[in-house]
Amino acid sequence: MNDRTPEHHSIVVLGAGFGGIGLAIKLREAGFDDLVLLERADDLGGTWQANTYPGCACDVPSQLYSYSFAPNPDWSRTYGKQREILEYLRRVATDHDVVRHIRLGTELTEARWDEAAHLWRIQTSRGSLTADFFISAAGVFAEAKYPELPGIDTFEGTTFHSLHWDHEHDLTGERVAVIGTGASAVQFVPEIAPQVAALTVFQRSAPWIVPRMDRPTLGVERTLLRRLPLAQKAIRGTWYTLIEGFGLVGFVDNRFRHPYEMLGRLQLLRQIRDPQLRRKATPDYIIGCKRAIFSDAYLPALDRENVEVVTDGIAEVRPHSILTRAGVEIPVDTIIYGTGFTPIPTAFEQIIGRDDLSIADLYHKRPQTYLGAAMAGFPNFFCTLGPFGAAGNQSAIFMLESQIAYIVDALQTLRARGARRVEVRQETQDAFVEEMARRSADTVWLTGGCQSYYTTPDGGNAGLYPNWSFEYRRRTKQFDAESYEVTA
């Protein structure tokens, strides 16, 4: 690429994680070969390339957290770990010949719609290009979120976020503070607890922990799945049904929460002996209000002699310690942030539509898309897992595959019509967003007594689809051209 004569492609896709790779595979199958995937990292994999902290694994069973069109009978465990998931993605991308479409180390700096030319003008760290269609498959767990801590600049020890784990730093024998108790912290705390001299976990609110029941898969199981693909489909269907059932609590009626909360409370009774610690680790909100976490190792780690859970807020960070709001000073050598991710990917600030507004500009006003896959004001643009395109009760891969099918069908329809420009109608999007708000009003995400990345600062739905995932798949099964302005 160069700035003087930008190369042109029919389709440019941003991101080479599960969304981008799956999209490229299905686009190629549909006959779209003039496509490029832009990936800012030096390897494909998205979230599974970026997160390498100890214990990093998926919290959805591997048989479900994988492409339906690329089943893997050889998962080593019920829940795939980071390295194995990354190897799976590399293998799928290679087997389907999409690696040649990926440009690694290429970071988006701006993508701007040119209304006069009816194309996207894209600036990257490696030059410029143009595209007829631009699709964002940028992940939502792409940028680390840091808390604002008074005095953090004076701290003389080591600090890092779980997304940017410092593997060169040896924690052995150190006094370590972990700030945050989200899904990442729940995974790495049990890994580092036996290694450090003292571990202090600063907890704002306790997460709901339910049994994970992870185990290695037996050789005979893997052989069976290789020889009987229908058995693998049956297992995938079983997991889908079990996880889909979480929607009963999420958006049907929170009275369905009691069986799930009972599992969490039994886990607490079984794994934490100290009554005082058990009280600290007991959530004070309805399960599902925040993301419930599957783990069999986190609660026992909190019960170790060298681990302390602190629920007092942080008043100040000092050069070698942290002072709590209760006035207790805790010596610390290393601070690890387990505080999750920013709700809006940086890429959304760099994608600018026909009104000179970015996706982030519109999101800050109100989360908005149509089906989580298109946006009014952004012609010839589609996205995966956009606002209201993610499910709180299902594997992200299921939702991704629904969106991929919708986008590919859209492009096939436009190709058949000889269309040059397509944009979802504003009234269609507005009606969809209003439907999402109406259906969200009584969900556990908004009424469960907590604050999380599921909600906006003003208490609205930040982007979860408040209905069954199979209903979403039905809505996205076919491109509804009548909902769009299509210009031939």
Side-chain angles (χ1 to χ4, degrees):
M1 293 185 291
N2 63 77
D3 292 327
R4 293 184 178 178
T5 55
E7 62 181 275
H8 181 79
H9 292 277
S10 176
I11 303 168
V12 171
V13 178
L14 180 65
F18 262 105
I21 291 171
L23 189 57
I25 291 170
K26 292 303 177 180
L27 284 170
R28 280 175 47 82
E29 288 180 0
F32 295 99
D33 199 54
D34 182 19
L35 72 147
V36 170
L37 277 70
L38 306 179
E39 173 53 57
R40 67 181 178 182
D42 294 328
D43 192 6
L44 60 81
T47 293
W48 300 106
Q49 180 278 140
N51 285 275
T52 61
Y53 58 81
C56 182
C58 189
D59 57 4
V60 174
S62 300
Q63 296 295 347
L64 187 57
Y65 195 83
S66 50
Y67 297 120
S68 62
F69 56 82
N72 176 24
D74 294 316
W75 292 110
S76 64
R77 307 187 64 84
T78 305
Y79 295 83
K81 294 192 174 182
Q82 177 262 338
R83 177 57 56 180
E84 191 172 15
I85 296 172
L86 181 58
E87 290 300 328
Y88 167 79
L89 273 172
R90 288 171 175 163
R91 184 169 64 254
V92 172
T94 300
D95 291 347
H96 288 81
D97 194 28
V98 300
V99 174
R100 64 187 176 92
H101 295 279
I102 302 174
R103 297 189 179 177
L104 301 174
T106 305
E107 184 168 5
L108 178 74
T109 56
E110 183 182 86
R112 183 180 291 271
W113 172 251
D114 185 333
E115 182 66 37
H118 286 237
L119 53 74
W120 283 90
R121 299 194 180 277
I122 302 165
Q123 309 296 326
T124 78
S125 59
R126 296 179 59 187
S128 306
L129 65 163
T130 58
D132 296 322
F133 295 92
F134 183 58
I135 304 172
S136 172
V140 293
F141 300 132
E143 280 92 30
K145 180 181 179 181
Y146 293 89
E148 295 182 3
L149 301 177
I152 188 63
D153 292 339
T154 69
F155 186 67
E156 296 180 6
T158 301
T159 65
F160 55 86
H161 193 281
S162 61
L163 179 61
H164 307 293
W165 195 273
D166 187 350
H167 292 280
E168 300 298 320
H169 182 67
D170 187 4
L171 296 174
T172 303
E174 286 203 329
R175 299 165 298 183
V176 177
V178 171
I179 299 175
T181 54
S184 299
V186 167
Q187 291 184 346
F188 71 72
V189 162
E191 298 292 323
I192 67 173
Q195 179 185 3
V196 303
L199 178 61
T200 305
V201 178
F202 287 88
Q203 171 187 285
R204 186 177 61 178
S205 63
W208 275 103
I209 307 292
V210 293
R212 185 175 178 85
M213 297 181 290
D214 188 23
R215 65 172 180 84
T217 54
L218 302 176
V220 66
E221 293 178 89
R222 295 195 289 271
T223 300
L224 177 67
L225 295 179
R226 281 195 296 271
R227 294 180 178 177
L228 295 174
L230 286 177
Q232 191 167 12
K233 286 186 178 181
I235 293 172
R236 183 183 181 94
T238 300
W239 277 118
Y240 171 85
T241 302
L242 290 172
I243 292 176
E244 187 76 354
F246 293 151
L248 292 171
V249 182
F251 49 77
V252 176
D253 192 320
N254 64 34
R255 286 176 292 185
F256 283 107
R257 72 185 186 271
H258 298 298
Y260 298 103
E261 290 189 352
M262 181 181 69
L263 282 175
R265 295 186 191 282
L266 288 175
Q267 184 98 318
L268 277 164
L269 285 170
R270 185 170 59 89
Q271 294 188 329
I272 293 184
R273 297 162 295 175
D274 180 4
Q276 184 177 356
L277 175 59
R278 197 183 305 133
R279 283 194 294 272
K280 287 183 178 181
T282 299
D284 59 358
Y285 53 88
I286 296 174
I287 192 170
C289 180
K290 291 184 180 182
R291 179 179 175 182
I293 304 172
F294 295 87
S295 177
D296 297 320
Y298 178 68
L299 295 177
L302 299 186
D303 207 20
R304 292 176 58 92
E305 290 185 0
N306 67 327
V307 178
E308 180 183 9
V309 177
V310 174
T311 56
D312 297 321
I314 295 174
E316 179 186 10
V317 179
R318 294 177 175 177
H320 301 285
S321 63
I322 293 177
L323 181 69
T324 72
R325 290 176 183 169
V328 178
E329 187 169 9
I330 302 171
V332 174
D333 301 310
T334 296
I335 297 174
I336 303 175
Y337 297 104
T339 45
F341 307 88
T342 57
I344 307 175
T346 300
F348 281 12
E349 299 173 357
Q350 300 160 338
I351 301 173
I352 301 169
R354 58 175 167 79
D355 296 326
D356 287 331
L357 294 174
S358 70
I359 295 177
D361 291 333
L362 295 179
Y363 182 93
H364 287 306
K365 294 180 180 179
R366 185 182 191 184
Q368 52 191 289
T369 63
Y370 176 58
L371 295 172
M375 288 194 70
F378 292 78
N380 292 17
F381 172 81
F382 295 97
C383 62
T384 61
L385 296 183
F388 310 118
N393 61 305
Q394 195 46 259
S395 167
I397 309 305
F398 182 89
M399 301 298 283
L400 278 172
E401 289 195 21
S402 301
Q403 290 150 13
I404 288 169
Y406 182 80
I407 293 168
V408 172
D409 189 50
L411 294 176
Q412 288 178 304
T413 301
L414 299 171
R415 179 176 60 187
R417 295 187 179 187
R420 188 180 181 191
R421 184 185 186 280
V422 62
E423 180 184 351
V424 65
R425 299 179 186 276
Q426 185 69 56
E427 60 269 25
T428 299
Q429 177 172 295
D430 290 345
F432 175 75
V433 172
E434 288 302 323
E435 177 196 346
M436 296 297 98
R438 186 172 63 254
R439 291 192 60 88
S440 299
D442 295 327
T443 61
V444 71
W445 314 319
L446 307 190
T447 64
C450 74
Q451 291 182 333
S452 74
Y453 67 86
Y454 286 172
T455 58
T456 58
D458 61 358
N461 183 348
L464 291 180
Y465 187 69
N467 206 335
W468 302 107
S469 67
F470 57 80
E471 190 270 347
Y472 179 84
R473 173 152 292 189
R474 179 189 60 78
R475 295 179 75 160
T476 54
K477 187 175 182 179
Q478 187 174 26
F479 177 62
D480 48 335
E482 67 279 3
S483 299
Y484 292 76
E485 296 177 359
V486 180
T487 305

